[in-house]
Amino acid sequence: MRSLLRAAGAAGILWAVSTAFAVPAVADEPSGFTIGDPRITESSGLAASRAHPGVYWTHNDSDDGPYVYAVDGRTGRTVARITLRDIGTPRDVEAISIGPDGNVYVGDIGDNLGGTWNHVWIYRFPEPRRLRDATVTATQFSVVYADGPRDAEALMVHPRTGRVYLASKKQDGGGALYEGPQHLSTTGTNTFRKVAPVDLWVTDGAFSPDGTRLVLRSYFGARIYRWQDGRPKDLGSVGVPIQQQGESVTFTRDGRTLMYGSEGRDSGVTPVGLSGAQLPESAKEDDGSADGGQGAGGSANHRGGGASSGAAGTDPNPGFVKGAMVLALATALVVAVRRLLRRRS
């Protein structure tokens, strides 16, 4: 009898634990995938294709060459490798984004020497209409910062204005968001100017497809902002999955989900759903509600083992709270049964 009760108690605890930490999946949320190409060992940037639904552009960090890869988000297979020509030798490619002009922007903006390069580069090429291995002519832009060299890993092109932004890592007291000129120039140096401080060790960032949200991620955390009058308004933290080396993030085409990527061979790309105030305005309109159906306090839904941390001031996920309560009750029940058995013995 005692063994049976102990087994039942253990089973109850296991069930309660699984209930506490399992979060309901969103029906239309995309699945994660694994980048299976052995050539991609340092995926450092991620951008959802505009021309090819379900396809994500990525690239290696350094020592790979002028290559960009298109990966099928359903299978994790590489469906195209694009070779960039008419550019210099890439030094430290860290980010990728797609602009409203249909061009792919690649940021050769990293500086592992702690921010000592006197200039960095941005490459631009048209997103191919057909996905196959190809060599394309790219445009190269020279970039400097108004306040001196910076180490940066995030490049974001606004999907409405086409303006390019860079986010630096923390350096000399903090990181910052930098704004490029209205139009990049190939004939001179493009100066990026600081527009907002960023208290985050930024490894990547992305605008939502409608341009109303900006997300910036670090290795272990992320923050989401409302984009208003060309400046970010902090909406608080957003969940980030546990990854080997979290380096990249992009919005899905509908803006409802963040896709987080990592460096490493066979690295995973993990979805984290958004809700409430974190949702882009276009996604809220699709829901027929100004707050996405959950209000500003709605918490994000997570899949793939991501950590749960919605916008600042939001309530915990209801599923988590319910599971935690069940776990506490199950534990109390087992303790009570054990005390009863001791008294009888």
Side-chain angles (χ1 to χ4, degrees):
M1 180 64 179
R2 181 178 297 178
S3 300
L4 180 61
L5 287 172
R6 286 177 178 174
I13 290 178
L14 289 175
W15 175 83
V17 169
S18 65
T19 303
F21 293 97
V23 179
V26 179
D28 57 353
E29 186 176 303
S31 300
F33 61 93
T34 299
I35 299 176
D37 192 330
R39 297 171 296 181
I40 306 175
T41 58
E42 292 185 312
S43 175
S44 189
L46 200 66
S49 171
R50 288 178 175 266
H52 309 283
V55 170
Y56 295 85
W57 292 98
T58 190
H59 54 81
N60 281 310
D61 189 338
S62 57
D63 300 325
D64 182 37
Y67 306 118
V68 179
Y69 303 84
V71 178
D72 187 338
R74 294 162 295 187
T75 65
R77 295 188 303 106
T78 296
V79 291
R81 184 176 83 161
I82 304 300
T83 303
L84 307 183
R85 64 183 171 204
D86 288 355
I87 64 172
T89 302
R91 287 189 301 212
D92 191 357
V93 180
E94 292 287 356
I96 190 167
S97 183
I98 300 177
D101 54 4
N103 286 314
V104 180
Y105 291 72
V106 181
D108 190 357
I109 56 176
D111 190 344
N112 291 327
L113 299 180
T116 58
W117 297 120
N118 59 9
H119 70 281
V120 292
W121 297 307
I122 293 174
Y123 313 124
R124 185 182 70 190
F125 66 95
E127 184 172 15
R129 294 182 179 179
R130 180 180 176 187
L131 291 177
R132 59 179 178 176
D133 290 357
T135 299
V136 302
T137 300
T139 304
Q140 179 170 318
F141 303 97
S142 182
V143 170
V144 299
Y145 298 90
D147 53 357
R150 291 288 181 271
D151 182 15
E153 295 191 7
L155 175 151
M156 298 76 63
V157 183
H158 194 274
R160 294 287 177 84
T161 66
R163 202 152 196 163
V164 181
Y165 295 83
L166 303 175
S168 68
K169 286 187 169 182
K170 284 188 177 181
Q171 182 176 322
D172 298 331
L177 182 69
Y178 291 83
E179 180 183 71
Q182 186 173 0
H183 301 288
L184 296 180
S185 170
T186 59
T187 59
T189 300
N190 297 274
T191 301
F192 279 63
R193 304 183 185 280
K194 181 178 177 178
V195 295
V198 177
D199 188 21
L200 199 68
W201 195 273
V202 180
T203 60
D204 200 15
F207 281 109
S208 61
D210 66 358
T212 65
R213 296 293 183 271
L214 169 69
V215 64
L216 297 175
R217 77 159 297 176
S218 66
Y219 295 116
F220 305 110
R223 301 195 74 81
I224 196 162
Y225 306 82
R226 175 181 290 109
W227 193 252
Q228 185 175 329
D229 300 325
R231 297 294 183 267
K233 307 296 181 182
D234 195 349
L235 293 177
S237 62
V238 63
V240 174
I242 298 174
Q243 295 178 311
Q244 177 177 337
Q245 184 174 332
E247 288 280 349
S248 58
V249 66
T250 189
F251 281 84
T252 52
R253 284 165 55 95
D254 63 5
R256 294 178 173 275
T257 305
L258 296 175
M259 302 294 285
Y260 288 99
S262 171
E263 284 194 4
R265 187 179 296 275
D266 294 325
S267 61
V269 176
T270 304
V272 172
L274 299 174
S275 64
Q278 298 173 350
L279 278 169
E281 300 305 317
S282 60
K284 294 180 184 180
E285 293 171 1
D286 290 342
D287 287 343
S289 171
D291 61 3
Q294 295 189 31
S299 60
N301 292 300
H302 306 276
R303 294 174 64 182
S308 176
S309 59
T314 60
D315 295 327
N317 186 285
F320 180 88
V321 174
K322 180 180 178 181
M325 292 176 64
V326 174
L327 174 59
L329 290 173
T331 303
L333 176 62
V334 172
V335 171
V337 170
R338 286 181 175 176
R339 287 179 178 176
L340 179 62
L341 289 175
R342 289 196 196 103
R343 291 175 182 176
R344 291 184 175 180
S345 61

